[in-house]
């Protein structure tokens, strides 16, 4: 069944690929981004040209996850123009690279504002509508890094872990309103997204230099080191868009709570299964077992 979808951070990368995939699959897609008439005008135009060429219902909406008024206006626009909002794909995020001590408090606050609090702003805007309808899907684009925890990405990984926990607990609480939750966990990608090229670095260069004197060029080698994990696999982020499209095509009540899209064979899916079982038992012992989602994790890439 086709649905009305809002995607955050759709100007490039996974969000952009997902907008194209879902629109092609017949969904009404609102691809959101900051400043579509300015800094992201070219990205907005490319998506609209793509939709026009193939006769797809793909629309552009301005949304800045760091601004509650902007989020509220975007959600209102979607609902006013389509009459409903069925699915939110929480994709907006940013990458910071560097040694943890070298990140200022302002660096970390800024990162969490985008990667964690941004999703909370969007949920506070969409959930009243979904709760009233007793229907909806929240799909979060998380990260396997919150499980594997690589070096020189400390604040980023911490933000993705916080994002994941917020998604999970929100999922417990909104499930009784007929709102489903899925957390898609992509592994690393060095091509096809803007994460590595546009990554910010730690703000305290003096501290960064102190660490580099002992640890060498670890920060500079991070992208190259990540590429060694693929072992010849074609790590194309379009696989994430395809998995999101597959999940949203499933009947309500059958969608996995987690899904891993990983080309590095890191073993995250096995950990997810073990954690899923332990959490289910834990909530059951608390007397809250009915809150736990009943669909087990899924692995989409062998």
């Amino acid at each position: 069944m086709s649905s009305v979808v809002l995607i955050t951070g759709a100007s490039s990368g996974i969000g952009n690929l997902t907008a194209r995939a879902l629109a092609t699959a017949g969904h009404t897609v609102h691809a959101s981004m900051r400043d579509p008439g300015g800094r992201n005008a070219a990205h907005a135009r490319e998506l609209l040209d793509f939709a026009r060429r193939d006769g797809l219902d793909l629309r552009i909406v301005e949304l800045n996850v760091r601004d509650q008024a902007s989020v509220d206006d975007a959600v209102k626009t979607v609902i006013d123009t389509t009459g409903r909002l069925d699915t939110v794909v929480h994709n907006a995020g940013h990458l910071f690279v560097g040694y943890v001590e070298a990140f200022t408090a302002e660096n970390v606050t800024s990162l969490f504002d985008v990667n964690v609090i941004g999703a909370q702003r969007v949920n506070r805007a969409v959930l009243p509508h979904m709760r009233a309808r007793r229907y909806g899907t929240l799909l979060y684009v998380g990260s396997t890094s919150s499980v594997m925890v690589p070096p020189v990405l400390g604040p980023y990984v911490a933000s993705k872990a916080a994002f994941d926990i917020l998604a999970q607990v929100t999922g417990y609480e909104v499930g009784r309103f007929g709102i489903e939750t899925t957390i898609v966990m992509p592994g690393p990608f060095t091509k096809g997204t803007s994460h590595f090229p546009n990554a910010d670095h730690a703000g305290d260069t003096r501290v960064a230099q102190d660490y580099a004197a002992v640890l060498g060029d670890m920060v500079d080698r991070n992208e190259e080191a990540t590429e060694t994990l693929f072992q010849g696999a074609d790590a194309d982020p379009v696989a994430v868009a395809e998995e999101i499209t597959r999940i949203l095509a499933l009947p309500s009540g059958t969608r996995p709570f987690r899904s891993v899209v990983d080309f590095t064979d890191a073993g995250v899916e096995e950990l997810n299964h073990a954690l899923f079982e332990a959490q289910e038992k834990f909530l059951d012992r608390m007397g809250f077992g009915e809150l736990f989602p009943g669909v087990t994790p899924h692995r989409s890439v062998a």
Side-chain angles (χ1 to χ4, degrees):
M1 184 182 75
S2 64
S3 57
V4 177
V5 183
L6 172 65
I7 305 173
T8 65
S11 64
S12 62
I14 289 171
N16 190 282
L17 293 169
T18 300
R20 293 168 185 257
L22 289 177
T24 300
H27 299 280
T28 296
V29 176
H30 291 78
S32 79
M33 60 190 70
R34 292 178 294 168
D35 195 16
R39 61 179 291 177
N40 282 316
H43 296 300
R45 186 167 55 251
E46 288 170 2
L47 281 175
L48 291 175
D49 288 345
F50 168 79
R52 195 175 300 113
R53 183 175 64 249
D54 293 343
L56 307 176
D57 194 353
L58 196 164
R59 315 173 190 193
I60 302 298
V61 61
E62 183 169 7
L63 189 157
N64 180 356
V65 298
R66 301 187 70 177
D67 182 340
Q68 188 69 60
S70 171
V71 172
D72 292 344
D73 288 345
V75 171
K76 184 176 186 301
T77 295
V78 173
I79 295 172
D80 286 350
T81 57
T82 62
R84 71 184 203 271
L85 174 55
D86 301 310
T87 301
V88 172
V89 177
H90 286 292
N91 170 75
H94 190 54
L95 179 66
F96 269 33
V97 180
Y99 302 110
V100 174
E101 186 189 340
F103 287 96
T104 66
E106 290 75 18
N107 290 155
V108 178
T109 299
S110 174
L111 185 64
F112 269 66
D113 197 26
V114 174
N115 290 6
V116 185
I117 302 173
Q120 177 71 359
R121 292 188 183 101
V122 174
N123 277 347
R124 283 181 53 79
V126 304
L127 282 175
H129 173 73
M130 290 182 173
R131 284 191 288 105
R133 294 179 65 213
R134 293 296 196 271
Y135 181 81
T137 300
L138 302 175
L139 191 148
Y140 300 81
V141 181
S143 173
T144 60
S145 68
S146 62
V147 177
M148 288 296 103
V149 192
V152 302
L153 297 175
Y156 170 78
V157 173
S159 73
K160 296 306 287 187
F163 173 84
D164 188 288
I165 296 300
L166 199 66
Q168 182 166 326
V169 179
T170 301
Y172 294 166
E173 297 165 358
V174 302
R176 299 302 292 273
F177 292 89
I179 301 167
E180 294 186 85
T181 294
T182 292
I183 303 169
V184 175
M185 302 175 71
F189 293 96
T190 57
K191 302 293 189 296
T193 75
S194 58
H195 254 15
F196 277 103
N198 293 341
D200 280 329
H201 288 71
D204 191 330
T205 56
R206 181 188 60 78
V207 171
Q209 289 168 358
D210 289 345
Y211 277 87
V214 175
L215 298 177
D217 60 348
M218 186 181 295
V219 172
D220 294 335
R221 289 191 299 109
N222 182 50
E223 184 174 357
E224 179 185 349
T226 300
E227 288 178 350
T228 66
L229 298 173
F230 300 136
Q231 299 180 333
D234 182 16
D236 190 334
V238 74
V240 183
E242 291 171 348
E243 175 63 357
I244 291 171
T245 303
R246 184 195 73 82
I247 289 170
L248 294 183
L250 295 173
S252 295
T254 68
R255 294 167 183 155
F257 185 57
R258 291 187 183 276
S259 178
V260 175
V261 184
D262 182 29
F263 292 87
T264 70
D265 197 25
V268 174
E269 62 281 358
E270 288 85 0
L271 295 171
N272 281 347
H273 275 282
L275 185 60
F276 187 91
E277 292 179 357
Q279 289 173 326
E280 187 173 28
K281 292 176 183 176
F282 180 73
L283 261 67
D284 210 36
R285 288 171 57 203
M286 293 181 73
F288 296 148
E290 74 278 4
L291 298 181
F292 201 74
V295 184
T296 56
H298 174 76
R299 174 171 173 78
S300 67
V301 177

